[in-house]
Amino acid sequence: MIVDKYDGCLVMEENDLQCTLSEFKNNRSTPEYIERGILKFIFHKNNIPYNSECSFEDLLTCLPDEVLNNITTGVKAMFFSGNKIDYKSFHDSYLFYYLEANIFKIWKPMLDLQLNNLLKKDLVILDIGTGPGSIPVGVIEFYKLLSVKYPEIHFSIVIDIIEAEYKFLEIAEYMISEVISLTTPNLKVNLRKRVHQILDDEFDYSGMDTYDLITMSNFLTVNERDNVKRGASILAQLSGILKDDGSIIVIEPGDLVNGKMLKNIRNEITNSSNMNVYSPCSGVWEKKKNFSCNCYSPTRTYWETPRLHRFLYQKGINKAGREQLPFQYVVYRLDGLTKYYVVRNKQHYIQLKDLSKHINEKVNVKANIRSVIERRKSNQWAVLLCDGSCIFDKRDSEIKAVMQKTFLIEMGLIFPVITGERLTLKNVRVKSTKYGLELKISKDSKIDIEY
Ligand SMILES: C[S@@+](CC[C@H](N)C(=O)[O-])C[C@H]1O[C@@H](n2cnc3c(N)ncnc32)[C@H](O)[C@@H]1O
């Protein structure tokens, strides 16, 4: 890896792609110091003596029933009333459950940038609605990994955060400093500005810097009503403090309702401002300037269920037992760049909009992965595709490539596919099913993936 001397971006050399992707081969696992940091905060707040010599399991047994009940009740109740969320009694529950559930989601959009040499070695980042600091913690962990792999490069991160709730600002500051205290010698992190304010129409941007990355995670969700209503205008205003080569990353939960809202906002902002979508959606055959589609395309992070979640699961919180974390995201930029180039040479390929004319024929297709569904019973993957030529507004309009899980490995592709990768499929048979068109992959098919 080298650093571009003009824009300060990390530029991949020969082996860097494999080396970077190899990080994504295995499940993510939360370092124990992050989980200890969470416990330490909760212990201090509740005046429980914290003994750092104790094993993790022993610390968990020191949590009094009353504290634990508050946490579990909060995790169960927090987002289920259907009303606008009021975090008043939920800060500890959010920290205990959601910090870990959210830190690794940012890795995917950051990887999208890194793969195109667009990630800066010195990063100035603004995180909005930081909560317990989930995104800054995730960004620091990503850079820690880089700094270990590339000890000759000196990395730095300057972090500003905006948060409406003072209690969350305190927690975020605590968690970020816990993580900073264990950085590597060649990574410098500075939590610079903590803005305790609601980001609304009156927000005064004049005191803010300009940023390489502006992030928001679970900020434009159903539970944050006013933000959703103002989603496009918030993003348009934020583009004014984004560097010309910076990115805005929006991450939202992996459900249908939030997915639709994320895309409605995306459609509105791309139609009304100079921001463009960098990833995960991009047209294969022509550049998409405006978006009107609204399909459901969750991505996921695979992880080792962390200790705190396993503990909550034992206490009856079923959702703490998840093996994957579904989420949705959009990366916006101002410079017109998209993750993938437009393919000019269309000959020998069938666009997805024309596939129905080729039922039972073998064809070649180039498309981006919208989402991946695991069919456990048949040990298959159904990979939902999009090339920008058509819209998937109903379940029976889906187009999927169906393959045995072992197929990619047999083809020498050992990294998991999740969302946004570009697939080239050759010699695949088009089948019509009650759930839409499927591309059947057989032994004489060929597959290529661009990450
Ligand atoms: C669901 S939490 C997400 C926290 C964190 N980003 C994460 O993904 O784990 C939403 C956070 O945004 C804050 N928030 C919501 N609307 C806000 C606004 N308009 N201005 C500032 N903070 C806001 C809330 O107080 C809460 O901490």
Side-chain angles (χ1 to χ4, degrees), residues 15-203:
N15 296 323
D16 289 324
L17 176 65
Q18 291 298 313
C19 177
T20 303
L21 290 175
S22 66
E23 286 308 329
F24 287 77
K25 208 169 115 189
N26 302 321
N27 291 347
R28 304 265 70 80
S29 75
T30 322
E32 189 171 315
Y33 56 78
I34 294 183
E35 300 199 276
R36 280 185 176 262
I38 295 170
L39 284 184
K40 219 193 290 178
F41 183 89
I42 287 171
F43 273 47
H44 287 168
K45 194 184 143 194
N46 291 285
N47 299 318
I48 310 162
Y50 180 87
N51 180 354
S52 56
E53 304 291 312
C54 274
S55 74
F56 198 78
E57 286 65 32
D58 287 347
L59 285 173
L60 288 173
T61 59
C62 296
L63 279 173
D65 285 349
E66 194 193 338
V67 174
L68 191 55
N69 283 342
N70 274 341
I71 290 171
T72 51
T73 313
V75 173
K76 280 184 194 153
M78 204 178 318
F79 292 116
F80 293 98
S81 70
N83 299 325
K84 181 183 179 322
I85 177 88
D86 178 355
Y87 291 98
K88 217 175 273 155
S89 49
F90 293 145
H91 296 101
D92 289 357
S93 306
Y94 197 95
L95 171 64
F96 206 96
Y97 181 84
Y98 285 100
L99 177 97
E100 289 197 84
N102 291 332
I103 49 181
F104 293 121
K105 294 174 181 172
I106 189 79
W107 284 32
K108 172 69 171 87
M110 288 188 30
L111 177 71
D112 285 355
L113 293 170
Q114 194 194 343
L115 293 178
N116 273 346
N117 302 333
L118 293 171
L119 196 63
K120 303 263 179 90
K121 135 186 138 53
D122 298 309
L123 194 68
V124 183
I125 167 169
L126 170 66
D127 185 43
I128 295 162
T130 200
S134 325
I135 294 300
V137 168
V139 172
I140 297 168
E141 287 302 309
F142 190 92
Y143 270 72
K144 263 190 206 173
L145 220 65
L146 286 173
S147 65
V148 170
K149 273 200 184 144
Y150 304 105
E152 69 288 359
I153 300 178
H154 287 264
F155 297 88
S156 74
I157 314 175
V158 172
I159 304 167
D160 291 348
I161 52 181
I162 298 178
E163 171 54 54
E165 301 227 358
Y166 190 70
K167 281 232 166 85
F168 267 137
L169 266 188
E170 276 183 343
I171 298 176
E173 185 166 356
Y174 185 87
M175 285 311 302
I176 294 168
S177 29
E178 281 291 296
V179 179
I180 292 178
S181 69
L182 287 165
T183 57
T184 47
N186 55 329
L187 169 61
K188 229 165 103 191
V189 187
N190 173 16
L191 173 58
R192 183 177 60 177
K193 227 179 213 226
R194 307 144 186 85
V195 183
H196 174 214
Q197 212 175 319
I198 293 177
L199 188 91
D200 57 13
D201 288 325
E202 269 70 63
F203 191 85

